[in-house]
């Protein structure tokens, strides 16, 4: 029975790790933010709209959102060689797709908005923490946006559904094993902008997983909102 | 914003009168604050803030083969990645000269000071040694990255622990590390980069000041007793005069004591 | 077209910038909002800049300060890069010289271009750097923002090459506060310091004054204002600041 599942850190099944968020962490950037799920810490900086080189990449009808996600070498136990990997390139792209739907890029033709996401410390959920940080950083950069994007991983541990897995939970091997389903959604609507999973999961359960993810996103949204408002109301 | 002609002229006049926009003396540092053990995945780590400049540094260790010419010593590798996150002037793509030079300057200040006892990092002579990686990441560049990075590297080393091995001789991160990275006592490498504009010398420039300057020279010192200089590099075309070199040499011991004092409780 | 409008317009940074659509109405109600947040509900309200209507609600389209003045609800940006618009006053730095004119960095997503005909005096085409060299600073007006770039003009009082002093940057969206209601804030700072100050809407500010101390004081006062996003009675606070600094 799912109810009997005990999480290694004692959290409830739908309980997120303690979240911290701070906006304006990189004074040089047009917008910036930090977002952490427990030991997973992401920072994001936004530069632009600015000039896009080379010129042939420019789109005269719209601005371009360009996301770069990467891990710092010492954010993981086995040192990551500095520089982009296939994994980081894929995450950069899915993050771009996760964020784009709320951004009014048509307002900035022929330009680029650069989003730089770096993971300072990794304990699973780095792409979701990165998306949460980037969403705040884009807002902080004054970019016209329809809404914020919130992101979380929902996991399956054998038959139990849990939110915001740690690395230890990602490596769970009992029963049906671990499934990790990363979602992102538009905060105030039911549109999902990131769907990525590895593991084993039945179609009926996916319906439940996305609903659990949406509930968790509400809590993330409150944290993002508070951090953004603090910048103005300090 | 790259420097404009009029701002350069005004800064030149100001520096000649010993004045700066933020009210500091030419050889005075901005507020320095440091934090150590900022990462639980690194063997050692530190965050250094000098004014609005922020750098984080992590030390990782891995096992590898020794270099053929030093079979009885561990290895040291320093990298610094000028993340496009940290400044509008850092762009993606092949590293510019600044990106190549920064880790080299940090590397030399650390390596030549012999603060790391590499001879104690041998697991099996000629076959297996520890490699110490020092990875520097600027988070916000508001000038003086070289000096900030070296302080970060020093503090990350000072807090670094050697990972434990399992029975097969592989690193076991689940075991709590109990052994400190072997470091030479009383060796404290700190860099001082002097910048020059017109006839004025200054320390710890903001990005605005840095961009206006003609040339810089970096000195790596390591020893609080006799202020031994282990590394030096002049970067830029403009020459330094004998008088300027004398002035720098007269300034170094005083500045070394000052920064060393501020770092003391972390060392 | 452009000639007519430019001949008519005197360089007057205060009136121009308040005409750019940013009010500093002291009676307006303000609060911090994030994108997608409902600011007010009801058919009586009209969405202004940075806001939109969604059903019964006025919703914020960006992060900033929501301001409700009468029926109009808008969101003032407080952060972000400079978005160039026609008639903006900007300060820029020459980065290149072509046979047709000067390329000028105005800290926006496209370079500014100042055609040679826009120079207020005769320029020898073989020695264009005698008028404006690389690294020189100008105050200019944007007369068009098009697909090919941003064209600048020096026609009008107060525009041209700037000499002496220095330039520095603030967040461009703080410029309206630095200018103040009908230019009150910048006038106060000029009076207290005796400096000449030109504020570009791109956030670049030029200060030139009688002494280094006066110039540094003017810069600090401007940075003090730029840092206060959410303060009521800013003018009094700046007067207090001048008492202490």
């Amino acid at each position: 029975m799912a109810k009997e599942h005990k999480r290694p850190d004692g959290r409830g099944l739908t309980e997120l790790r303690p979240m911290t968020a701070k906006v304006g962490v990189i004074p040089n950037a047009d917008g910036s933010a930090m977002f952490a799920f427990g030991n997973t810490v992401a920072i994001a900086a936004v530069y632009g709209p600015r000039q896009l080189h080379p010129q042939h990449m420019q789109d005269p009808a719209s601005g371009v959102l360009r996301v770069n996600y990467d891990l710092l070498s010492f954010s993981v136990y086995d040192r990551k060689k500095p520089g982009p990997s296939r994994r980081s390139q894929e995450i950069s792209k899915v993050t771009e797709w996760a964020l784009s739907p709320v951004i009014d890029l048509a307002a900035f033709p022929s330009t680029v908005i650069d989003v730089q996401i770096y993971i300072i410390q990794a304990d699973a959920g780095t792409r979701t923490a990165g998306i949460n940080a980037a969403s705040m950083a884009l807002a902080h950069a004054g970019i016209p946006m329809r809404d914020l994007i919130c992101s979380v991983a929902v996991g399956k541990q054998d038959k139990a559904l849990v939110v915001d897995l740690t690395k230890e939970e990602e490596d769970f091997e009992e029963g049906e094993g671990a499934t990790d389903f990363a979602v992102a959604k538009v905060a105030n609507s039911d549109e999902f902008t990131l769907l990525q999973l590895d593991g084993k999961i039945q179609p009926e359960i996916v319906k439940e997983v996305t609903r659990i993810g949406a509930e968790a996103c509400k809590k993330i949204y409150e944290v993002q909102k508070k951090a953004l408002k603090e910048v103005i109301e300090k | 914003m790259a420097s404009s002609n009029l701002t350069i002229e005004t800064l030149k006049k100001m520096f000649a009168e010993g004045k700066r926009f933020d009210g500091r003396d030419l050889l005075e540092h901005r507020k320095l604050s440091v934090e150590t053990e900022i990462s639980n995945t690194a063997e050692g780590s530190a965050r250094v803030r000098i004014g609005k400049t922020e750098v984080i540094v992590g030390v990782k260790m891995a096992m590898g083969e020794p270099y053929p010419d030093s079979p009885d010593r561990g290895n040291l590798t320093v990298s610094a990645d000028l993340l496009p996150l940290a400044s509008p002037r850092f762009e993606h793509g092949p590293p510019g000269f600044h990106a190549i030079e920064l880790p080299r300057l940090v590397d030399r200040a650390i390596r030549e000071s012999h603060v790391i006892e590499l001879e104690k990092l041998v697991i099996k002579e000629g076959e297996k040694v520890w490699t110490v990686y020092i990875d520097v990441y600027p988070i916000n560049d508001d000038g003086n990255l070289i000096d900030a990075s070296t302080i970060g590297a020093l503090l990350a080393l000072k807090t670094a622990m050697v990972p434990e091995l399992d029975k097969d001789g592989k690193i076991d991160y689940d075991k709590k590390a109990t052994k400190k990275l072997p470091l030479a006592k009383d060796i404290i490498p700190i860099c001082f980069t002097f910048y020059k504009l017109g006839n004025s010398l200054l320390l710890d420039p903001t990005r605005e000041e840095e961009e206006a300057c003609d040339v810089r020279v970096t000195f790596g010192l390591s020893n609080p007793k006799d202020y031994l200089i282990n590394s030096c590099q002049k970067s830029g075309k403009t020459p330094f005069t004998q008088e300027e070199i004398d002035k720098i040499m007269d300034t170094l011991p005083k500045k070394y004591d000052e920064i060393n004092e501020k770092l003391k409780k972390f060392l | 077209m452009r000639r007519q409008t430019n001949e008519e317009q005197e360089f007057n940074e205060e009136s121009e910038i308040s005409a750019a659509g940013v009010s500093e109405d002291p009676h307006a109600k303000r609060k911090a909002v994030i994108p997608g947040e409902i600011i007010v509900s009801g058919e009586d309200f009209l969405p202004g800049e940075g806001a939109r209507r969604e059903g019964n609600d006025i919703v914020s389209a960006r992060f900033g300060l929501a301001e409700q003045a009468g029926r109009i609800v808008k969101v003032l940006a407080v952060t972000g890069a400079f978005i160039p618009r026609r008639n903006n006053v900007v300060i820029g730095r020459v980065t290149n010289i072509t046979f047709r004119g000067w390329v000028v960095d105005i800290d926006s997503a496209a370079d500014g271009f100042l055609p040679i005909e826009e120079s207020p005096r005769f320029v020898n085409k073989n020695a264009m750097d005698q008028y404006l060299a690389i690294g020189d600073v100008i105050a200019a007006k944007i007369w068009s923002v098009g697909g090919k770039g941003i064209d600048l003009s020096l026609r009008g009082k107060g525009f041209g090459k700037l000499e002496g002093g220095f330039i520095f940057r603030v967040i461009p969206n703080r410029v309206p506060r630095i200018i103040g209601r009908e230019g009150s804030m910048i006038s106060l700072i000029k009076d207290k310091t005796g400096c000449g100050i030109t504020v570009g809407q791109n956030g670049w500010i030029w200060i030139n004054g009688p002494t280094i101390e006066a110039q540094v004081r003017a810069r600090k006062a401007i940075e003090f204002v730029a840092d206060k996003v959410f303060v009521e009675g800013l003018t009094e606070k700046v007067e207090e600041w001048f008492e202490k600094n």
Side-chain angles (χ1 to χ4, degrees):
Chain A
M1 284 297 286
K3 273 179 191 159
E4 286 163 22
H5 180 78
K6 288 263 187 302
R7 303 185 72 175
D9 54 10
R11 271 187 290 156
L13 298 186
T14 57
E15 192 182 338
L16 292 142
R17 284 176 280 179
M19 290 180 275
T20 34
K22 195 169 181 224
V23 170
V25 294
I26 300 161
N28 275 343
D30 293 311
S32 61
M34 179 278 282
F35 186 93
F37 283 128
N39 284 329
T40 294
V41 183
I43 50 172
V46 171
Y47 288 91
R50 65 178 174 182
Q51 231 151 351
L52 177 56
H53 298 293
Q55 210 165 0
H56 69 82
M57 285 177 68
Q58 294 181 4
D59 180 351
S62 168
V64 173
L65 182 73
R66 183 166 59 184
V67 174
N68 174 55
Y69 157 102
D70 209 349
L71 298 166
L72 298 194
S73 62
F74 53 82
S75 66
V76 283
Y77 283 117
D78 292 315
R79 177 178 180 269
K80 185 204 165 275
K81 207 168 156 272
S85 62
R86 281 165 191 263
R87 175 186 177 273
S88 67
Q89 285 176 17
E90 185 188 68
I91 295 179
S92 299
K93 207 66 201 174
V94 296
T95 300
E96 209 171 280
W97 293 327
L99 295 165
S100 295
V102 292
I103 299 168
D104 181 10
L105 290 166
F108 311 112
S110 305
T111 69
V112 63
I113 297 168
D114 272 311
V115 181
Q116 301 290 340
I117 302 169
Y118 287 93
I119 305 304
I120 306 271
Q121 190 171 269
D123 182 16
T126 63
R127 79 197 63 192
T128 57
I131 289 170
N132 292 331
S135 167
M136 290 190 286
L138 281 161
H140 183 225
I143 308 294
M145 290 166 83
R146 177 158 66 87
D147 207 337
L148 292 187
I149 296 288
C150 311
S151 182
V152 70
V154 183
K156 201 154 100 18
Q157 305 272 281
D158 185 16
K159 291 189 161 40
L161 299 181
V162 299
V163 300
D164 186 24
L165 285 76
T166 60
K167 183 81 185 65
E168 188 182 352
E169 289 178 301
E170 273 187 0
D171 299 338
F172 182 82
E173 281 175 349
E174 289 165 43
E176 293 179 14
T179 300
D180 177 27
F181 197 163
V183 298
K185 80 178 266 295
V186 180
N188 292 295
S189 82
D190 65 353
E191 298 156 279
F192 287 84
T193 62
L194 170 81
L195 298 166
Q196 239 187 344
L197 90 82
D198 288 302
K200 303 171 207 138
I201 194 162
Q202 297 81 0
E204 276 306 309
I205 310 237
V206 169
K207 291 186 189 168
E208 202 179 331
V209 160
T210 45
R211 284 177 173 83
I212 290 172
E215 281 305 308
C217 283
K218 286 183 187 164
K219 295 173 197 159
I220 296 164
Y221 180 64
E222 290 307 315
V223 172
Q224 292 174 309
K225 190 172 176 177
K226 183 164 172 273
L228 277 163
K229 290 196 177 189
E230 270 167 6
V231 178
I232 295 182
E233 290 167 348
K234 64 179 174 186
Chain B
M1 141 168 134
S3 241
S4 59
N5 299 342
L6 52 80
T7 304
I8 293 171
E9 283 313 306
T10 296
L11 281 173
K12 209 179 270 179
K13 271 187 242 157
M14 287 172 65
F15 292 161
E17 293 180 31
K19 288 170 184 154
R20 297 170 95 161
F21 279 125
D22 53 17
R24 280 183 291 155
D25 291 334
L26 296 190
L27 300 174
E28 189 180 340
H29 281 75
R30 288 168 288 178
K31 186 172 177 268
L32 169 71
S33 68
V34 300
E35 273 170 73
T36 53
E37 292 169 81
I38 56 151
S39 161
N40 62 15
T41 44
E43 272 70 272
S45 58
R47 180 192 309 276
V48 174
R49 287 195 176 93
I50 303 185
K52 282 186 185 164
T53 288
E54 179 180 340
V55 175
I56 61 176
V57 182
V59 168
K60 285 299 295 176
M61 293 179 68
M63 280 179 287
E65 282 176 28
Y67 292 114
D69 60 349
S70 58
D72 54 350
R73 311 170 67 77
N75 304 324
L76 169 66
T77 300
V78 179
S79 88
D81 213 348
L82 299 185
L83 305 181
L85 165 108
S87 172
R89 64 179 174 178
F90 303 158
E91 299 267 354
H92 278 289
F97 183 69
H98 192 51
I100 294 166
E101 192 187 24
L102 174 65
R104 290 187 58 82
L105 294 173
V106 178
D107 181 300
R108 283 156 61 199
I110 301 290
R111 189 184 301 274
E112 299 304 323
S113 74
H114 296 283
V115 61
I116 308 174
E117 296 179 321
L118 292 172
E119 66 281 2
K120 292 188 184 165
L121 292 174
V122 179
I123 299 162
K124 191 167 184 208
E125 193 172 320
E127 283 180 28
K128 212 175 187 188
V129 297
W130 285 107
T131 296
V132 179
Y133 291 96
I134 301 176
D135 292 322
V136 174
Y137 291 102
I139 298 297
N140 192 69
D141 169 22
D142 191 27
N144 202 19
L145 281 182
I146 303 161
D147 299 5
S149 299
T150 312
I151 292 173
L154 167 67
L155 296 176
L157 285 171
K158 287 284 180 183
T159 56
M161 306 292 282
V162 182
E164 295 290 315
L165 303 182
D166 64 16
K167 55 183 188 305
D168 304 324
K170 291 207 177 101
I171 294 178
D172 184 353
Y173 286 109
D174 292 332
K175 276 194 199 161
K176 194 176 158 45
T178 53
K179 227 168 63 201
K180 286 192 137 189
L181 178 70
L183 298 178
K185 268 206 167 95
D186 304 325
I187 293 185
I188 299 154
I190 305 174
C191 273
F192 295 91
T193 304
F194 290 79
Y195 288 74
K196 178 176 158 177
L197 177 64
N199 297 316
S200 308
L201 292 172
L202 64 149
L203 277 170
D204 188 27
T206 59
R207 194 171 112 207
E208 174 183 44
E209 292 172 333
E210 199 173 81
E211 282 173 348
C213 285
D214 302 318
V215 65
R216 62 176 148 83
V217 60
T218 300
F219 290 92
L221 277 68
S222 66
N223 188 320
K225 289 194 190 74
D226 55 6
Y227 310 105
L228 219 54
I229 294 168
N230 302 118
S231 61
C232 162
Q233 177 144 310
K234 168 180 168 290
S235 306
K237 278 186 279 194
T238 310
F240 284 92
T241 63
Q242 180 66 54
E243 193 190 337
E244 285 162 349
I245 294 167
D246 292 350
K247 188 178 173 193
I248 290 171
M249 292 309 120
D250 293 342
T251 308
L252 280 171
K254 212 166 49 215
K255 295 309 293 187
Y256 183 88
D257 285 346
E258 184 191 312
I259 299 297
N260 186 21
E261 188 58 41
K262 284 186 188 165
L263 299 178
K264 220 158 213 167
K265 65 175 178 233
F266 297 94
L267 299 175
Chain C
M1 253 297 270
R2 142 185 161 232
R3 290 285 171 272
Q4 289 170 355
T5 53
N6 282 316
E7 294 304 330
E8 283 163 16
Q9 274 166 348
E10 286 275 276
F11 177 59
N12 180 330
E13 63 204 17
E14 290 89 357
S15 64
E16 248 165 49
I17 290 172
S18 17
V22 186
S23 79
E24 280 288 309
D25 183 346
H27 306 296
K29 277 192 258 170
R30 294 202 186 93
K31 65 172 181 183
V33 290
I34 65 168
E37 184 177 352
I38 298 169
I39 308 167
V40 286
S41 300
E43 296 295 332
D44 293 346
F45 298 104
L46 295 171
E49 206 189 327
R52 63 172 194 275
R53 173 164 285 286
E54 252 180 43
N56 195 38
D57 307 320
I58 305 291
V59 175
S60 172
R62 65 179 172 210
F63 170 65
L65 269 180
E67 184 182 284
Q68 187 187 319
R71 297 178 63 203
I72 310 282
V73 179
K74 59 187 172 187
V75 179
L76 310 174
V78 294
T79 48
F82 170 59
I83 309 299
R85 292 200 172 83
R86 189 169 189 272
N87 283 334
N88 280 167
V89 174
V90 293
I91 290 175
R93 180 180 147 271
V94 176
T95 58
N96 203 358
I97 303 174
T98 74
F99 66 96
R100 287 181 46 237
W102 295 269
V103 180
V104 183
D105 175 10
I106 55 167
D107 204 3
S108 81
D111 279 329
F113 186 75
L114 178 70
I116 195 163
E117 316 80 73
E118 286 294 329
S119 149
R121 63 175 170 83
F122 173 76
V123 173
N124 178 350
K125 285 202 174 192
N126 298 315
M128 285 167 65
D129 60 353
Q130 283 177 4
Y131 176 56
L132 285 173
I134 288 171
D136 281 351
V137 175
I138 58 169
K141 174 182 281 189
I142 295 177
W143 66 263
S144 87
V145 180
K148 290 205 181 90
I150 298 166
D151 283 312
L152 303 175
S153 164
L154 296 182
R155 286 165 202 268
K157 197 172 137 232
F159 297 120
K161 180 178 174 179
L162 299 175
E163 307 206 50
F166 59 89
I167 56 171
F168 67 106
R169 183 186 187 266
V170 298
I171 295 172
N173 281 312
R174 306 289 163 88
V175 164
R177 297 223 97 182
I178 293 164
I179 303 285
R181 195 166 160 76
E182 279 156 15
S184 56
M185 187 64 79
I186 200 69
S187 302
L188 174 69
I189 297 170
K190 284 178 183 172
D191 288 349
K192 294 278 187 187
T193 62
C195 289
I197 304 173
T198 301
V199 181
Q201 277 155 301
N202 58 342
W204 288 17
I205 297 174
W206 176 70
I207 293 179
N208 192 18
T211 62
I212 286 171
E213 283 73 17
Q215 296 180 100
V216 171
R217 198 160 166 250
R219 175 177 180 163
K220 283 189 173 159
I222 289 170
E223 285 172 339
F224 175 81
V225 174
D227 192 43
K228 304 274 173 291
V229 195
F230 197 59
V231 174
E232 304 290 323
L234 189 55
T235 308
E236 293 81 65
K237 293 228 162 49
V238 173
E239 275 168 354
E240 274 169 37
W241 184 90
F242 274 115
E243 300 291 314
K244 290 182 212 142
N245 289 274

